[in-house]
Amino acid sequence: MRRVIMLADGQSFYASVEKAAHPEYRDKPVAVGDPARKSGIILAACPIAKARGVTTAERVGEAQAKCPDLVVIRPRMATYIAVSLLITEIYESFTDQVEPYSIDEQFLDVTGSIALFGTAEEIARQIQTRVHLSTGVWSRVGIGPTKILAKMATDNFAKKRLEGIYTLSNDNIESDLWPLPVYRMFMVASRMSGHFMRMGIRTIGDIARLDLGEFKQRLRYRMGRQSDIQAEYYWQTARGIDPSPVVAGMRSQVKVINNGRALKWNLYKTIEDIEPLMIELVIEVCRRARKYGYMGRVIGVGAAETDGSRSFHFGRQMSLMRPTYLEHEVGSAVKKLFLEHWQGMPLTQLHITLTGLSGDETYQLDLFEDREKLIRCAKTIDAIKDRFGLTAMIRASSLQKTAQAFERAAQIGGHWA
């Protein structure tokens, strides 16, 4: 049976939740961000604010300059997560095959639901009505036989239509999708779009109409032999080919564990300023690794620095002799990598990754330290933090002024709960 898949997206999700909570702002431009920080970014803007030039990811001060009567509301991540879970329950009343893609986007396979609830478009309208009545969030729904077509139907068509519903299928992919500029294809960012433009590829159809072998050859000439996998992915995407099923629940396979911060560059000038934050990042990465049940063998450090006139960024990796998720082992590798490549300028960003993951069911013992005891101790600390909060036990370094442990403990995903 031909699959019927939807990608439902909440319009201006954070802003819509706030407008539903504040009826007095119904006819006003609303954006979500930190009103106390002019240099902070706009996380979401309602359609009224967007019509006045406010854009997502621009600075709060810039948005207020464009729209003086803009209402900026501090984000409440715990509320947004709760609303997202409520929307998931509504979707699950139509099908048990619901796969969250982000906090405001979810895939639904309604192939088996059509006999009960009507056509795909009728199901989409029912979903829109129930979600809007329950949460105040208006949903845009893309429909297609594959996840990739449903996603592109939402992003390129449903979001631009008043009814917020659009079906992209094998019948209209050539007439509707292929004429679009190549940067409108899923997973084609500005850098890849530049490569395509220099290759003479300007539309999605330019890729779809090429023979796969020829496309691989052209991309290989531009980007090297390692580009064959990319070529096949983009060629299939342009044609709407995607065999992946909708998988109920969140994705379980973890390939990388990371943590990072964007920083105020004038605060992180010396290694004494940077190290407290570095330790906190290492602690959080190791804690997540233990939670997921993975040890990692490859440590990565990324950083951006500037002195106001010059800028530099780097990303480096090193392999350890054995997989680990112990803070002192990860931390020593992180500090070594950082000091080898840091130019000495104030930091604007610091990022740590743990890859080369393997299950923690087995691990290498050590003749010179009791690793089993160290792992039990680390997991005990994790359990205390899970029960009593992230600041129930902290390192002394987190009392330094450049540390962020107490501030981050009150946030979710880097934003206020």
Side-chain angles (χ1 to χ4, degrees):
M1 183 181 295
R2 188 178 182 181
R3 292 188 300 168
V4 180
I5 294 175
M6 298 179 175
L7 189 281
D9 165 82
Q11 182 183 40
S12 306
F13 183 66
Y14 297 165
S16 296
V17 172
E18 294 299 347
K19 293 193 85 164
H22 299 278
E24 66 273 21
Y25 298 148
R26 185 182 63 179
D27 299 320
K28 294 186 177 182
V30 169
V32 175
D34 190 344
R37 292 181 58 200
K38 301 294 183 182
S39 61
I41 64 170
I42 297 294
L43 299 177
C46 74
I48 297 174
K50 289 179 179 178
R52 299 189 187 180
V54 178
T55 60
T56 302
E58 75 175 331
R59 300 198 179 278
V60 172
E62 294 171 353
Q64 290 176 324
K66 293 178 183 176
C67 183
D69 59 338
L70 180 68
V71 179
V72 181
I73 300 176
R74 189 177 182 180
R76 300 180 296 152
M77 297 307 297
T79 300
Y80 307 148
I81 292 171
V83 173
S84 179
L85 292 173
L86 173 60
I87 292 174
T88 301
E89 291 181 9
I90 294 173
Y91 295 157
E92 288 174 341
S93 68
F94 291 91
T95 174
D96 59 353
Q97 297 180 67
V98 179
E99 178 182 337
Y101 183 70
S102 67
I103 192 170
D104 61 342
E105 292 180 294
Q106 303 190 49
F107 286 107
L108 298 80
D109 190 330
V110 297
T111 308
S113 306
I114 290 175
L116 293 173
F117 299 104
T119 66
E121 289 77 11
E122 289 171 343
I123 293 174
R125 284 191 286 270
Q126 292 176 58
I127 285 173
Q128 286 178 323
T129 301
R130 290 186 58 181
V131 170
H132 192 256
L133 289 173
S134 300
T135 67
V137 176
W138 177 247
S139 300
R140 286 82 59 88
V141 183
I143 305 169
T146 65
K147 289 166 71 174
I148 204 73
L149 282 179
K151 172 65 174 170
M152 290 194 287
T154 301
D155 292 345
N156 292 305
F157 302 103
K159 288 183 178 182
K160 297 173 173 60
R161 291 173 174 256
L162 184 62
E163 66 273 20
I165 299 172
Y166 190 83
T167 300
L168 192 59
S169 68
N170 297 327
D171 298 328
N172 64 351
I173 184 174
E174 185 172 356
S175 61
D176 294 1
L177 182 68
W178 288 6
L180 296 182
V182 70
Y183 62 82
R184 299 270 291 273
M185 189 167 76
F186 180 60
M187 293 299 287
V188 175
S190 57
R191 185 174 180 182
M192 198 65 219
S193 179
H195 284 302
F196 286 145
M197 295 294 283
R198 285 186 284 273
M199 292 165 58
I201 295 173
R202 303 185 182 280
T203 68
I204 298 174
D206 289 342
I207 296 176
R209 292 187 181 94
L210 283 173
D211 176 76
L212 177 57
E214 181 184 350
F215 182 52
K216 283 185 177 181
Q217 191 173 27
R218 292 175 66 173
L219 201 63
R220 191 185 302 161
Y221 178 79
R222 179 82 196 172
M223 301 177 62
R225 285 189 170 275
Q226 72 280 2
S227 65
D228 278 5
I229 294 176
Q230 285 179 287
E232 187 157 351
Y233 171 80
Y234 288 123
W235 186 83
Q236 290 186 356
T237 299
R239 288 172 166 250
I241 300 170
D242 179 13
S244 61
V246 173
V247 180
M250 299 297 289
R251 299 173 181 84
S252 59
Q253 186 177 3
V254 178
K255 296 183 178 179
V256 58
I257 299 170
N258 56 22
N259 202 359
R261 300 282 191 277
L263 309 172
K264 295 181 179 179
W265 68 274
N266 58 332
L267 292 181
Y268 297 88
K269 299 179 180 180
T270 67
I271 188 60
E272 288 76 18
D273 298 330
I274 297 166
E275 195 165 13
L277 176 65
M278 183 184 294
I279 292 171
E280 290 177 349
L281 294 179
V282 168
I283 290 171
E284 186 57 30
V285 166
C286 292
R287 181 171 175 269
R288 290 178 186 174
R290 290 190 292 268
K291 178 181 178 182
Y292 300 144
Y294 289 104
M295 290 184 172
R297 187 165 185 156
V298 181
I299 306 296
V301 177
E305 51 186 310
T306 183
D307 60 3
S309 58
R310 296 178 300 129
S311 296
F312 176 73
H313 68 273
F314 66 86
R316 296 292 186 274
Q317 291 183 338
M318 67 179 293
S319 296
L320 304 178
M321 294 188 65
R322 61 191 176 193
T324 185
Y325 51 30
L326 294 174
E327 285 85 351
H328 71 285
E329 294 175 344
V330 174
S332 61
V334 166
K335 187 175 180 180
K336 181 177 184 293
L337 265 179
F338 178 79
L339 291 176
E340 285 178 356
H341 300 285
W342 179 42
Q343 301 287 311
M345 294 185 286
L347 285 194
T348 58
Q349 189 176 35
L350 182 62
H351 194 265
I352 295 170
T353 62
L354 186 65
T355 55
L357 303 179
S358 57
D360 66 350
E361 300 87 359
T362 59
Y363 50 86
Q364 181 67 49
L365 298 178
D366 195 304
L367 291 174
F368 304 103
E369 67 177 4
D370 190 345
R371 292 193 85 214
E372 192 170 357
K373 180 179 179 181
L374 292 171
I375 290 171
R376 287 200 307 269
C377 180
K379 289 185 175 181
T380 299
I381 293 173
D382 294 342
I384 292 171
K385 289 183 176 182
D386 290 340
R387 182 172 181 181
F388 298 106
L390 295 176
T391 56
M393 293 187 70
I394 61 169
R395 300 286 182 97
S397 58
S398 290
L399 299 175
Q400 301 294 316
K401 66 177 182 179
T402 55
Q404 298 183 7
F406 287 97
E407 179 182 352
R408 298 288 294 192
Q411 300 175 344
I412 297 176
H415 305 293
W416 295 106

